PDB file of all heavy atoms in Angstrom:
ATOM      1  N   ALA A  58      10.999 -21.119 -12.183  1.00 95.00           N
ATOM      2  CA  ALA A  58      12.315 -21.549 -12.044  1.00 95.00           C
ATOM      3  C   ALA A  58      12.909 -22.333 -13.224  1.00 95.00           C
ATOM      4  O   ALA A  58      12.120 -23.069 -13.831  1.00 95.00           O
ATOM      5  CB  ALA A  58      12.430 -22.551 -10.754  1.00 95.00           C
ATOM      6  N   ASP A  59      14.159 -22.086 -13.605  1.00 95.00           N
ATOM      7  CA  ASP A  59      14.775 -22.836 -14.696  1.00 95.00           C
ATOM      8  C   ASP A  59      15.156 -24.210 -14.047  1.00 95.00           C
ATOM      9  O   ASP A  59      15.016 -25.268 -14.871  1.00 95.00           O
ATOM     10  CB  ASP A  59      16.098 -22.136 -15.110  1.00 95.00           C
ATOM     11  CG  ASP A  59      15.715 -20.862 -15.837  1.00 95.00           C
ATOM     12  OD1 ASP A  59      14.679 -20.741 -16.496  1.00 95.00           O
ATOM     13  OD2 ASP A  59      16.570 -19.811 -15.733  1.00 95.00           O
ATOM     14  N   THR A  60      15.657 -24.221 -12.906  1.00 96.00           N
ATOM     15  CA  THR A  60      16.061 -25.504 -12.208  1.00 96.00           C
ATOM     16  C   THR A  60      15.591 -25.463 -10.797  1.00 96.00           C
ATOM     17  O   THR A  60      15.331 -24.397 -10.228  1.00 96.00           O
ATOM     18  CB  THR A  60      17.542 -25.765 -12.331  1.00 96.00           C
ATOM     19  OG1 THR A  60      18.191 -24.711 -11.545  1.00 96.00           O
ATOM     20  CG2 THR A  60      17.980 -25.898 -13.690  1.00 96.00           C
ATOM     21  N   GLY A  61      15.435 -26.638 -10.175  1.00 97.00           N
ATOM     22  CA  GLY A  61      14.910 -26.837  -8.862  1.00 97.00           C
ATOM     23  C   GLY A  61      13.342 -26.747  -8.888  1.00 97.00           C
ATOM     24  O   GLY A  61      12.739 -26.800  -9.896  1.00 97.00           O
ATOM     25  N   THR A  62      12.851 -26.842  -7.645  1.00 96.00           N
ATOM     26  CA  THR A  62      11.284 -26.918  -7.552  1.00 96.00           C
ATOM     27  C   THR A  62      10.821 -25.878  -6.647  1.00 96.00           C
ATOM     28  O   THR A  62      11.451 -25.442  -5.634  1.00 96.00           O
ATOM     29  CB  THR A  62      10.838 -28.311  -7.046  1.00 96.00           C
ATOM     30  OG1 THR A  62      11.531 -28.598  -5.802  1.00 96.00           O
ATOM     31  CG2 THR A  62      11.304 -29.409  -8.000  1.00 96.00           C
ATOM     32  N   MET A  63       9.597 -25.404  -6.932  1.00 97.00           N
ATOM     33  CA  MET A  63       8.864 -24.477  -6.064  1.00 97.00           C
ATOM     34  C   MET A  63       7.513 -24.890  -5.922  1.00 97.00           C
ATOM     35  O   MET A  63       6.765 -25.157  -6.902  1.00 97.00           O
ATOM     36  CB  MET A  63       8.977 -23.035  -6.795  1.00 97.00           C
ATOM     37  CG  MET A  63       8.355 -22.026  -6.040  1.00 97.00           C
ATOM     38  SD  MET A  63       8.588 -20.386  -6.829  1.00 97.00           S
ATOM     39  CE  MET A  63       7.328 -19.392  -5.874  1.00 97.00           C
ATOM     40  N   HIS A  64       7.059 -24.914  -4.568  1.00 97.00           N
ATOM     41  CA  HIS A  64       5.693 -25.309  -4.319  1.00 97.00           C
ATOM     42  C   HIS A  64       4.993 -24.169  -3.620  1.00 97.00           C
ATOM     43  O   HIS A  64       5.648 -23.409  -2.776  1.00 97.00           O
ATOM     44  CB  HIS A  64       5.617 -26.540  -3.392  1.00 97.00           C
ATOM     45  CG  HIS A  64       6.001 -27.790  -4.109  1.00 97.00           C
ATOM     46  ND1 HIS A  64       7.326 -28.083  -4.461  1.00 97.00           N
ATOM     47  CD2 HIS A  64       5.272 -28.878  -4.587  1.00 97.00           C
ATOM     48  CE1 HIS A  64       7.351 -29.298  -5.055  1.00 97.00           C
ATOM     49  NE2 HIS A  64       6.109 -29.723  -5.195  1.00 97.00           N
ATOM     50  N   ALA A  65       3.684 -24.017  -3.846  1.00 97.00           N
ATOM     51  CA  ALA A  65       2.859 -22.988  -3.206  1.00 97.00           C
ATOM     52  C   ALA A  65       1.577 -23.714  -2.761  1.00 97.00           C
ATOM     53  O   ALA A  65       0.851 -24.377  -3.572  1.00 97.00           O
ATOM     54  CB  ALA A  65       2.591 -21.822  -4.106  1.00 97.00           C
ATOM     55  N   TRP A  66       1.377 -23.614  -1.447  1.00 96.00           N
ATOM     56  CA  TRP A  66       0.239 -24.370  -0.842  1.00 96.00           C
ATOM     57  C   TRP A  66       0.269 -25.814  -1.255  1.00 96.00           C
ATOM     58  O   TRP A  66      -0.797 -26.542  -1.568  1.00 96.00           O
ATOM     59  CB  TRP A  66      -1.133 -23.762  -1.228  1.00 96.00           C
ATOM     60  CG  TRP A  66      -1.324 -22.458  -0.568  1.00 96.00           C
ATOM     61  CD1 TRP A  66      -1.889 -22.246   0.700  1.00 96.00           C
ATOM     62  CD2 TRP A  66      -1.044 -21.099  -1.133  1.00 96.00           C
ATOM     63  NE1 TRP A  66      -1.974 -20.904   0.968  1.00 96.00           N
ATOM     64  CE2 TRP A  66      -1.475 -20.142  -0.138  1.00 96.00           C
ATOM     65  CE3 TRP A  66      -0.551 -20.707  -2.318  1.00 96.00           C
ATOM     66  CZ2 TRP A  66      -1.311 -18.784  -0.351  1.00 96.00           C
ATOM     67  CZ3 TRP A  66      -0.382 -19.258  -2.517  1.00 96.00           C
ATOM     68  CH2 TRP A  66      -0.742 -18.380  -1.580  1.00 96.00           C
ATOM     69  N   GLY A  67       1.418 -26.448  -1.226  1.00 94.00           N
ATOM     70  CA  GLY A  67       1.672 -27.841  -1.449  1.00 94.00           C
ATOM     71  C   GLY A  67       1.593 -28.308  -2.784  1.00 94.00           C
ATOM     72  O   GLY A  67       1.780 -29.554  -3.089  1.00 94.00           O
ATOM     73  N   LYS A  68       1.412 -27.426  -3.796  1.00 94.00           N
ATOM     74  CA  LYS A  68       1.275 -27.781  -5.168  1.00 94.00           C
ATOM     75  C   LYS A  68       2.442 -27.136  -5.956  1.00 94.00           C
ATOM     76  O   LYS A  68       2.841 -25.934  -5.699  1.00 94.00           O
ATOM     77  CB  LYS A  68       0.029 -27.388  -5.869  1.00 94.00           C
ATOM     78  CG  LYS A  68      -1.211 -28.096  -5.196  1.00 94.00           C
ATOM     79  CD  LYS A  68      -2.510 -27.577  -5.894  1.00 94.00           C
ATOM     80  CE  LYS A  68      -3.700 -28.214  -5.259  1.00 94.00           C
ATOM     81  NZ  LYS A  68      -5.002 -27.731  -5.863  1.00 94.00           N
ATOM     82  N   GLU A  69       3.086 -27.842  -6.837  1.00 95.00           N
ATOM     83  CA  GLU A  69       4.181 -27.372  -7.689  1.00 95.00           C
ATOM     84  C   GLU A  69       3.813 -26.178  -8.473  1.00 95.00           C
ATOM     85  O   GLU A  69       2.686 -26.203  -9.151  1.00 95.00           O
ATOM     86  CB  GLU A  69       4.850 -28.399  -8.500  1.00 95.00           C
ATOM     87  CG  GLU A  69       6.185 -27.872  -9.083  1.00 95.00           C
ATOM     88  CD  GLU A  69       6.957 -28.878  -9.775  1.00 95.00           C
ATOM     89  OE1 GLU A  69       6.614 -30.141  -9.789  1.00 95.00           O
ATOM     90  OE2 GLU A  69       8.145 -28.652 -10.176  1.00 95.00           O
ATOM     91  N   LEU A  70       4.562 -25.081  -8.417  1.00 95.00           N
ATOM     92  CA  LEU A  70       4.170 -23.895  -9.182  1.00 95.00           C
ATOM     93  C   LEU A  70       4.952 -23.844 -10.447  1.00 95.00           C
ATOM     94  O   LEU A  70       6.216 -23.721 -10.510  1.00 95.00           O
ATOM     95  CB  LEU A  70       4.567 -22.627  -8.278  1.00 95.00           C
ATOM     96  CG  LEU A  70       3.944 -21.341  -8.712  1.00 95.00           C
ATOM     97  CD1 LEU A  70       2.458 -21.343  -8.817  1.00 95.00           C
ATOM     98  CD2 LEU A  70       4.397 -20.224  -7.765  1.00 95.00           C
TER      99      LEU A  70
END
Side-chain angles (χ1 to χ4, degrees):
D59 293 328
T60 60
T62 59
M63 178 173 169
H64 288 75
W66 287 276
K68 298 179 180 179
E69 189 169 5
L70 195 57

